[in-house]
Amino acid sequence: MRKGRTALLVVLATIPLAVGPGSPTAAGELDRFRGLTGTINIAGGTAHVPVMTEAARRIMTAYPSIRIAVAAGGTGVGVQKVGEGLVDIGNSGRALTAEEVARYGLVSVPLALDGVAPIAHPKNPVTGLTTAEIRGIFAGTIANWDEVGGGSSPIHRYTRDEASGTREVFWKGILGEGPVTSAANVVASNGAMKSAVARNEQAVGYISIGLVDDTVKPLRVDGVAPTQENARNGTYPVVRTLYANTRGAPSGLAKAFLDYLGGPEGAQIIRQSGYLPLR
């Protein structure tokens, strides 16, 4: 788990360290950006933000002539914006649908493996739930924490909108595509979910494992801790792939950026951000 990370919207414009292309910082993997200039605009899945912002920081530090803007917004926003040509890279926390590919001509690049964890407030005495209990909570048939071993207080549910990749994975992997009560509060991003649960001792929600920190408590599912290591070894099954999407095959700066993330230094950034590199 990572401490104190809540990145919802980051626009990187000016890096104070202006290191030239010939410096040691620009060596190795960053050499692919030598001679390139311009701007990369990125938006979409909030789980991607820590990875994208750290990669952007390193690139812009080495090559100040390159500007990289990273925004969140969720999977639906990422797919729509890249499809409409508003950004160069649109991030998604799920695979593209056939309709999205056909409509926009999108190409996906898989970047990392991530799990999705149910979370509660750190002061909540409940440390784990069964799949059946989680389904009952989100369907609305379990309404009080004392029904699942907690104190006597109403359960406040938080969920994501239907365009969210995180929601889709949680809905399919844990809820079994079952109902979500209309009484659930809908939040816009992983960061908003974490903030909402961190402020509410009666809350339950779910976020990307890579964004879990000490402001929320990940809940065991059927006795299994939702950690990236358990996601890697298959013990924890609620996992998804994080994708970067481009309109048509990536080229120019966007290709260099995605190739960088697919290399050794990119893998290091992905691990440091709490995810598991795929390439």
Side-chain angles (χ1 to χ4, degrees), residues 196-217:
V197 174
R199 293 193 303 263
N200 187 340
E201 293 186 22
Q202 299 169 321
V204 64
Y206 51 90
I207 62 171
S208 163
I209 291 177
L211 296 178
V212 171
D213 59 28
D214 58 0
T215 66
V216 294
K217 180 200 297 185

CSV table of all heavy atoms in Angstrom, one decimal, residues 196-217:
chain,number,residue,atom,x,y,z
A,196,ALA,N,-14.1,9.9,-0.3
A,196,ALA,CA,-15.4,9.7,0.3
A,196,ALA,C,-15.4,8.7,1.4
A,196,ALA,O,-15.9,8.9,2.5
A,196,ALA,CB,-16.4,9.3,-0.8
A,197,VAL,N,-14.7,7.5,1.1
A,197,VAL,CA,-14.7,6.5,2.2
A,197,VAL,C,-13.8,6.9,3.3
A,197,VAL,O,-14.1,6.6,4.5
A,197,VAL,CB,-14.1,5.2,1.5
A,197,VAL,CG1,-13.9,4.1,2.6
A,197,VAL,CG2,-15.1,4.7,0.5
A,198,ALA,N,-12.7,7.6,3.1
A,198,ALA,CA,-11.8,8.1,4.1
A,198,ALA,C,-12.5,9.1,5.1
A,198,ALA,O,-12.1,9.2,6.2
A,198,ALA,CB,-10.6,8.8,3.5
A,199,ARG,N,-13.5,9.8,4.6
A,199,ARG,CA,-14.2,10.7,5.4
A,199,ARG,C,-15.5,10.2,6.2
A,199,ARG,O,-16.1,10.8,7.0
A,199,ARG,CB,-14.7,11.9,4.5
A,199,ARG,CG,-13.6,12.8,4.0
A,199,ARG,CD,-14.2,14.1,3.4
A,199,ARG,NE,-15.2,13.8,2.4
A,199,ARG,CZ,-15.0,13.8,1.1
A,199,ARG,NH1,-13.8,14.0,0.6
A,199,ARG,NH2,-16.0,13.6,0.3
A,200,ASN,N,-15.8,8.9,5.8
A,200,ASN,CA,-17.1,8.4,6.3
A,200,ASN,C,-16.9,7.0,7.0
A,200,ASN,O,-16.6,6.1,6.3
A,200,ASN,CB,-18.1,8.3,5.2
A,200,ASN,CG,-19.5,7.9,5.6
A,200,ASN,OD1,-19.7,7.3,6.7
A,200,ASN,ND2,-20.4,8.1,4.7
A,201,GLU,N,-17.0,7.0,8.3
A,201,GLU,CA,-16.8,5.7,9.1
A,201,GLU,C,-17.8,4.6,8.7
A,201,GLU,O,-17.5,3.5,9.1
A,201,GLU,CB,-16.7,6.0,10.6
A,201,GLU,CG,-15.6,6.9,11.0
A,201,GLU,CD,-15.5,7.0,12.5
A,201,GLU,OE1,-16.0,6.2,13.2
A,201,GLU,OE2,-14.8,8.0,13.0
A,202,GLN,N,-18.9,5.0,8.1
A,202,GLN,CA,-19.9,4.0,7.8
A,202,GLN,C,-19.8,3.5,6.3
A,202,GLN,O,-20.6,2.7,5.9
A,202,GLN,CB,-21.3,4.5,8.1
A,202,GLN,CG,-21.5,4.9,9.6
A,202,GLN,CD,-22.8,5.7,9.8
A,202,GLN,OE1,-23.1,6.6,9.0
A,202,GLN,NE2,-23.5,5.4,10.8
A,203,ALA,N,-18.8,4.0,5.6
A,203,ALA,CA,-18.8,3.8,4.2
A,203,ALA,C,-18.2,2.5,3.7
A,203,ALA,O,-17.4,1.9,4.4
A,203,ALA,CB,-18.0,4.9,3.5
A,204,VAL,N,-18.6,2.1,2.6
A,204,VAL,CA,-17.9,1.0,1.8
A,204,VAL,C,-17.8,1.3,0.4
A,204,VAL,O,-18.8,2.0,-0.1
A,204,VAL,CB,-18.7,-0.4,2.0
A,204,VAL,CG1,-20.1,-0.3,1.4
A,204,VAL,CG2,-17.9,-1.5,1.5
A,205,GLY,N,-16.7,1.0,-0.3
A,205,GLY,CA,-16.6,1.3,-1.7
A,205,GLY,C,-15.6,0.4,-2.3
A,205,GLY,O,-15.3,-0.7,-1.8
A,206,TYR,N,-14.9,0.8,-3.4
A,206,TYR,CA,-13.9,0.0,-4.0
A,206,TYR,C,-13.0,0.8,-4.9
A,206,TYR,O,-13.5,1.8,-5.5
A,206,TYR,CB,-14.6,-1.1,-4.9
A,206,TYR,CG,-15.6,-0.6,-5.9
A,206,TYR,CD1,-15.3,-0.2,-7.2
A,206,TYR,CD2,-16.9,-0.5,-5.5
A,206,TYR,CE1,-16.2,0.2,-8.1
A,206,TYR,CE2,-17.9,-0.1,-6.4
A,206,TYR,CZ,-17.5,0.3,-7.7
A,206,TYR,OH,-18.5,0.8,-8.6
A,207,ILE,N,-11.7,0.5,-4.9
A,207,ILE,CA,-10.8,1.3,-5.7
A,207,ILE,C,-9.7,0.3,-6.3
A,207,ILE,O,-9.5,-0.8,-5.8
A,207,ILE,CB,-10.1,2.4,-4.9
A,207,ILE,CG1,-9.3,1.9,-3.7
A,207,ILE,CG2,-11.1,3.4,-4.5
A,207,ILE,CD1,-8.4,2.9,-3.1
A,208,SER,N,-8.9,0.9,-7.2
A,208,SER,CA,-7.7,0.2,-7.7
A,208,SER,C,-6.8,-0.1,-6.5
A,208,SER,O,-6.5,0.8,-5.6
A,208,SER,CB,-7.0,1.1,-8.7
A,208,SER,OG,-5.7,0.7,-8.9
A,209,ILE,N,-6.3,-1.3,-6.5
A,209,ILE,CA,-5.3,-1.7,-5.4
A,209,ILE,C,-4.1,-0.8,-5.4
A,209,ILE,O,-3.6,-0.4,-4.3
A,209,ILE,CB,-4.9,-3.2,-5.5
A,209,ILE,CG1,-6.1,-4.1,-5.2
A,209,ILE,CG2,-3.8,-3.5,-4.6
A,209,ILE,CD1,-5.8,-5.6,-5.4
A,210,GLY,N,-3.7,-0.4,-6.6
A,210,GLY,CA,-2.5,0.5,-6.6
A,210,GLY,C,-2.7,1.8,-6.0
A,210,GLY,O,-1.7,2.5,-5.7
A,211,LEU,N,-3.9,2.3,-5.7
A,211,LEU,CA,-4.2,3.5,-5.1
A,211,LEU,C,-4.6,3.4,-3.6
A,211,LEU,O,-4.8,4.4,-3.0
A,211,LEU,CB,-5.3,4.3,-5.8
A,211,LEU,CG,-5.0,4.6,-7.3
A,211,LEU,CD1,-6.2,5.3,-7.9
A,211,LEU,CD2,-3.8,5.5,-7.4
A,212,VAL,N,-4.6,2.2,-3.1
A,212,VAL,CA,-4.8,2.0,-1.6
A,212,VAL,C,-3.7,2.6,-0.8
A,212,VAL,O,-2.5,2.4,-1.1
A,212,VAL,CB,-5.0,0.5,-1.3
A,212,VAL,CG1,-5.1,0.4,0.2
A,212,VAL,CG2,-6.3,0.0,-2.0
A,213,ASP,N,-4.1,3.4,0.2
A,213,ASP,CA,-3.1,3.9,1.1
A,213,ASP,C,-3.7,3.9,2.5
A,213,ASP,O,-4.7,3.2,2.8
A,213,ASP,CB,-2.6,5.3,0.8
A,213,ASP,CG,-3.8,6.4,0.7
A,213,ASP,OD1,-4.8,6.2,1.4
A,213,ASP,OD2,-3.7,7.3,0.0
A,214,ASP,N,-3.0,4.5,3.5
A,214,ASP,CA,-3.5,4.4,4.9
A,214,ASP,C,-4.7,5.2,5.2
A,214,ASP,O,-5.1,5.2,6.4
A,214,ASP,CB,-2.3,4.7,5.9
A,214,ASP,CG,-1.8,6.1,5.7
A,214,ASP,OD1,-2.2,6.8,4.8
A,214,ASP,OD2,-0.8,6.4,6.4
A,215,THR,N,-5.3,5.9,4.3
A,215,THR,CA,-6.5,6.6,4.6
A,215,THR,C,-7.8,5.7,4.4
A,215,THR,O,-8.8,6.2,4.9
A,215,THR,CB,-6.7,7.8,3.6
A,215,THR,OG1,-6.9,7.4,2.3
A,215,THR,CG2,-5.4,8.7,3.7
A,216,VAL,N,-7.6,4.6,3.9
A,216,VAL,CA,-8.7,3.6,3.8
A,216,VAL,C,-8.2,2.2,4.1
A,216,VAL,O,-7.0,2.0,4.2
A,216,VAL,CB,-9.3,3.6,2.3
A,216,VAL,CG1,-10.0,4.9,2.0
A,216,VAL,CG2,-8.2,3.2,1.3
A,217,LYS,N,-9.2,1.3,4.4
A,217,LYS,CA,-8.8,-0.1,4.7
A,217,LYS,C,-9.3,-1.0,3.6
A,217,LYS,O,-10.5,-1.1,3.4
A,217,LYS,CB,-9.5,-0.5,6.0
A,217,LYS,CG,-9.2,-1.9,6.5
A,217,LYS,CD,-10.2,-2.4,7.5
A,217,LYS,CE,-10.1,-1.6,8.8
A,217,LYS,NZ,-11.0,-2.2,9.8
